[in-house]
Amino acid sequence: MGESESVTLPEIFDDLTVGIIVHDPQTGEILDVNDQIEQLYGHSSAVIREMNVEDFTAPSTRFSQNEAVRLIQAAANGDPQTFEWRVERVNGELLWVCAHLKRTTIDATPVVIAEIRDITRYKARERRLRLLSRVVRHNLRNETNLLMGYADRIQSAIKEDTFETEIGTILDIAAEIGSLSDSIRQIEEIAEPSATQRHPMNIGDVVREQVKEGRSEYPKADLTVDVRSEVHVNADRALHYAIRHAIENAIVHNDRETPSVTVVITEDANAGQGEIRFIDNGPFIPEIEIDALDDEVPTSSTYHGSGVGLWVMKWCVDSLGGELSFERRSPRGNVVRFLLPQASAAERPS
């Protein structure tokens, strides 16, 4: 590797609250890290030095080793770089970090230092504001406009003896507004510091509880639970809310006479994370609904999803350090997939 091989951070860097990574300015190789990086990523310094960027990048994040080297080389040439990036900890938990690259010297050896700050809470607040804006500006406004329109129609309905039909429609709209309110309350509850005290939960138990409620509320639906692995995750009410919305969405947006939802609990063989799959027989989830969840897609009056169920699912799964994804079945149906970091063996109930 050359003269940078023996570069070591001074011990004082271990006292910092910001993570520090030392890179070779040409190859991008990790030469040393401080204690904060070990705590943040969950790997030892020795292990991290043998890794490259792709090894601890979240699976869905488009950030390659080649891209990292390009940014490091730009910083080495005097052009500091700042960017956001989603990393995967050793236990599978996903974190948002902000990285700032700049050149410096250690013991007269040129290096590039990366300052790494955990911005997961900041990103959560950002998504929360975006969601609330979406609900208020689009969903709630649309429902209110519908109510105003039907209020005008009531006047005519009284004369034409169709009053009962119009009242039923208004009640349906009011129920939808109430559902929006419940979703916002759930997000507010998860966002409260006092509500984020987590403990190990058996995913199978939580799924069975939510499926039982689903069967009571939607007796015509066919709900099945398939527990293939006993999986525990550190979670709070966010896990309950995410599972509930996944089941409800698969039922209420299903055009079959008997909506079918199978919930599979297993362990992802590649990542070692807990996995929940919700498999339904309904129509495909519209691409616009899924695309609207992307942080890179701007919210506008012409580009947004029609509901907030998927948003609440994403918010809840993200808050647990997990990942939400969607697949289409052939010839119809969807698979909604939660990947969640598992609780360690020491944390699980005996």
Side-chain angles (χ1 to χ4, degrees), residues 3-75:
E3 62 178 352
S4 297
E5 186 172 2
S6 61
V7 171
T8 303
L9 275 171
E11 291 184 5
I12 193 172
F13 280 84
D14 289 333
D15 296 330
L16 299 178
T17 57
V18 61
I20 300 292
I21 302 177
V22 182
H23 290 279
D24 182 287
Q26 296 306 316
T27 67
E29 185 174 355
I30 297 174
L31 307 178
D32 200 10
V33 301
N34 69 346
D35 287 351
Q36 185 65 17
I37 287 295
E38 290 184 321
Q39 296 173 22
L40 191 63
Y41 291 178
H43 296 283
S44 69
S45 173
V47 170
I48 293 175
R49 287 197 297 269
E50 297 298 322
M51 302 172 74
N52 61 40
V53 167
E54 292 175 340
D55 293 330
F56 43 78
T57 294
S60 63
T61 304
R62 296 179 292 274
F63 192 64
S64 67
Q65 177 69 12
N66 289 338
E67 176 68 7
V69 172
R70 185 188 68 78
L71 294 172
I72 290 168
Q73 291 176 347

Side-chain angles (χ1 to χ4, degrees), residues 193-212:
S194 59
T196 58
Q197 298 300 318
R198 297 171 183 164
H199 61 276
M201 294 185 182
N202 185 314
I203 291 180
D205 292 343
V206 180
V207 167
R208 292 187 189 94
E209 174 188 333
Q210 295 304 317
V211 165
K212 182 179 179 180

Side-chain angles (χ1 to χ4, degrees), residues 242-259:
I243 293 171
R244 181 183 306 172
H245 278 280
I247 294 172
E248 287 183 351
N249 275 16
I251 295 174
V252 301
H253 298 295
N254 198 313
D255 56 1
R256 290 290 180 91
E257 182 176 348
T258 303

